[in-house]
Structures are given as structure tokens and as C-alpha cells.
Amino acid sequence: NVTNWAAFQRLTPSIEDNERLREPQREAYTEIVAHFSRPEHHREVGVVLPVGCGKSGLITLAPFAVQAKKVLVIAPGLRIAAQLLSDFDPSNPDMFYRKCAVLVGDDFPEPADIRGSSTNKSDLDVADVVITNIQQLQRSGVDNKWLADLPGDYFDLILFDEGHHNVAESWEALRQKFPAAQIISVSATPTRADGRLMSGDIIYTYPIYRAVQRGFVKHVKGLVLNPASLHYIRRGDGQEIEVDLDEVRRLGEVDADFRRS
């Protein structure tokens, strides 16, 4: 049924001038539209929104920005996956499209979720957006048969929530499984705990100071750190060196190699 298949192409959302949406959601949406409208664009992009700026809401808007046919949304865990499903769920009175008047009427994209081995492919076939968590993609054997059975062009858009995790090996397997899909990662931080940068071109970042000014972030606590010493790896020989703060100041002024280290 083509009518059900292409909801993100068929429906006309109210986004750019919608005052119920937050400023970072509208601005990020505009940047996504601009990026994927260019004849030559990168397949994978990232958006950085501080906590409280409407990351989940942007994920519900992004499929309209690229006129997607069928979308896969991946959350880092069960709790966030459940939240995202509720934002897409037409049976939820507070679902995002209704709460923010993005869509008027009773015609909404159809969601489906993947949990364990209970999801039938027929559920996915009639859905416009499929929500799951990364743990489901890491399963092996019969529990992950749904993924193995899908053709490589099944999804044309993949949305990663908490996208700074998307450099992991399991995410790379997903990219290869759906090689033609556009990929949008949304995260509060562009880096993982190990320092690796979120993959894809970061096309939009909402500054934390603006989030505080607009009241999206209400509780900011500053911590002053006063270390007694500094450990660093010397570039010349790879040796780890410990120096006290006075020496840090002195070396910072006179030693270019120290500054680079």
C-alpha cells in the first residue's frame, strides 16, 4: 500500500514556523534539509543538541527533512527506545506530533518496535518507522533473524540516538547492511568516553550557552578542579612525565613541544 508506505512524503508537517517546537529543533531541521538537498552530500551527518533541547523530538522530525520512505531509529537502550516509541505512537495522547501540532488530524506515520524475537516482518512492512535498541542488533542466531532477512534497500534513513556511540563495530555492520540509507546521528556530545569522535559530518551544534539563555538547561553546576600535578606523554620519546603546577606554567610558556604534548 503506497499510501501507508510513504507517510513522511505524503504528510505536510508544520516545522519551520511552529512556535511549539524549540529553537534548536527548528534550526537543526533546516540544516538537515539543506544538507540532503545538495546534489553532492555526505551520506552520514551528525547533530549535537545539549540535554533538554529536544533531541527526541528532532528524531521524529528528521524523516520529513529527507522525505524518507521507511526509517530505522536506533536507541542506546530500552528506556530511550520506549520513549522514542511513545513519541511516534498515535495511540499516545502526548505523542510528539500531536503535542507540538506538527501534524493536524488523525493521519500519522505508523510505528513498529523490535523487542526480542516477537516482531513479525509483516509488522515492519506496514510501518513507516521502526524503533529498536542497539542490543537487538547485537543478538545472534534466531533472535536476529529479522535483520538478516531484510533486503539492503529496506530502510532509506537510519537515525542514531546518542549518536556518539555510532563508531562501534556493531553500528558499522548496520551501515554495511543498508548501504544506500542516509544516516543522521543525534547526540548531546560528539565524543565517546574513549575520545573517539561521532562519525559523520557534524552539520549543526546548538551551543550550551544558548540552551541556558533560553531556559532549556536550568541546572548548571560549575566545578573548579585544582590538580596538584599533571601527567603527560612526552612527544619526543613517549615517556610519561609528572610535573607540578608551577612547572606546568613554566613549560607552557617556554616549551612548544610541551604545549603540543
Side-chain angles (χ1 to χ4, degrees):
N1 188 320
V2 176
T3 302
N4 290 333
W5 178 264
F8 293 113
Q9 299 176 342
R10 181 181 77 252
L11 300 174
T12 302
S14 172
I15 297 176
E16 287 91 344
D17 299 320
N18 187 339
E19 293 300 322
R20 295 194 189 185
L21 298 176
R22 297 189 169 188
E23 178 182 67
Q25 292 171 329
R26 296 194 304 268
E27 290 182 354
Y29 178 87
T30 299
E31 289 300 322
I32 293 171
V33 171
H35 175 82
F36 287 105
S37 297
R38 299 185 185 105
E40 293 187 6
H41 59 261
H42 292 287
R43 170 196 181 193
E44 185 168 357
V45 300
V47 172
V48 179
L49 296 185
V51 174
C53 290
K55 181 164 54 70
S56 296
L58 177 62
I59 287 173
T60 71
L61 302 176
F64 290 109
V66 300
Q67 297 284 286
K69 292 181 179 179
K70 190 179 286 285
V71 183
L72 177 63
V73 177
I74 304 171
L78 289 170
R79 182 183 61 81
I80 296 180
Q83 176 191 336
L84 288 167
L85 178 62
S86 70
D87 283 335
F88 280 105
D89 186 1
S91 67
N92 174 20
D94 294 323
M95 62 99 71
F96 187 81
Y97 296 135
R98 184 180 288 122
K99 178 179 69 175
C100 292
V102 173
L103 295 172
V104 177
D106 296 319
D107 192 3
F108 298 104
E110 182 69 26
D113 66 324
I114 297 173
R115 285 178 290 183
S117 56
S118 60
T119 302
N120 296 317
K121 185 174 181 294
S122 59
D123 297 329
L124 307 185
D125 288 341
V126 298
D128 299 294
V129 54
V130 176
I131 300 99
T132 190
N133 60 82
I134 188 59
Q135 291 78 15
Q136 294 294 335
L137 301 175
Q138 294 168 335
R139 292 174 180 267
S140 59
V142 294
D143 282 349
N144 212 8
K145 189 174 186 297
W146 68 268
L147 180 61
D149 288 346
L150 297 180
D153 61 352
Y154 195 77
F155 297 107
D156 62 338
L157 175 64
I158 300 174
L159 288 162
F160 287 131
D161 192 5
E162 297 297 343
H164 58 287
H165 296 295
N166 70 3
V167 294
E169 183 176 333
S170 54
W171 304 75
E172 181 57 35
L174 191 68
R175 293 185 185 92
Q176 295 178 8
K177 172 65 180 177
F178 304 107
Q182 312 280 17
I183 299 172
I184 302 173
S185 298
V186 184
S187 182
T189 173
T191 56
R192 302 197 317 176
D194 63 4
R196 296 181 67 187
L197 189 66
M198 178 170 70
S199 60
D201 292 345
I202 297 178
I203 60 172
Y204 179 80
T205 299
Y206 193 73
I208 186 69
Y209 78 88
R210 285 175 64 188
V212 174
Q213 287 177 338
R214 301 294 192 276
F216 303 143
V217 177
K218 293 182 171 58
H219 302 288
V220 179
K221 183 177 183 179
L223 298 177
V224 178
L225 304 179
N226 294 303
S229 63
L230 171 74
H231 291 257
Y232 76 100
I233 305 298
R234 192 160 57 194
R235 288 168 58 94
D237 56 13
Q239 182 179 354
E240 181 175 328
I241 305 295
E242 180 179 6
V243 292
D244 63 25
L245 295 190
D246 287 338
E247 185 68 359
V248 168
R249 295 187 187 96
R250 188 190 71 79
L251 289 172
E253 293 174 354
V254 302
D255 191 332
D257 187 65
F258 171 81
R259 291 194 296 270
R260 287 192 297 270
S261 297

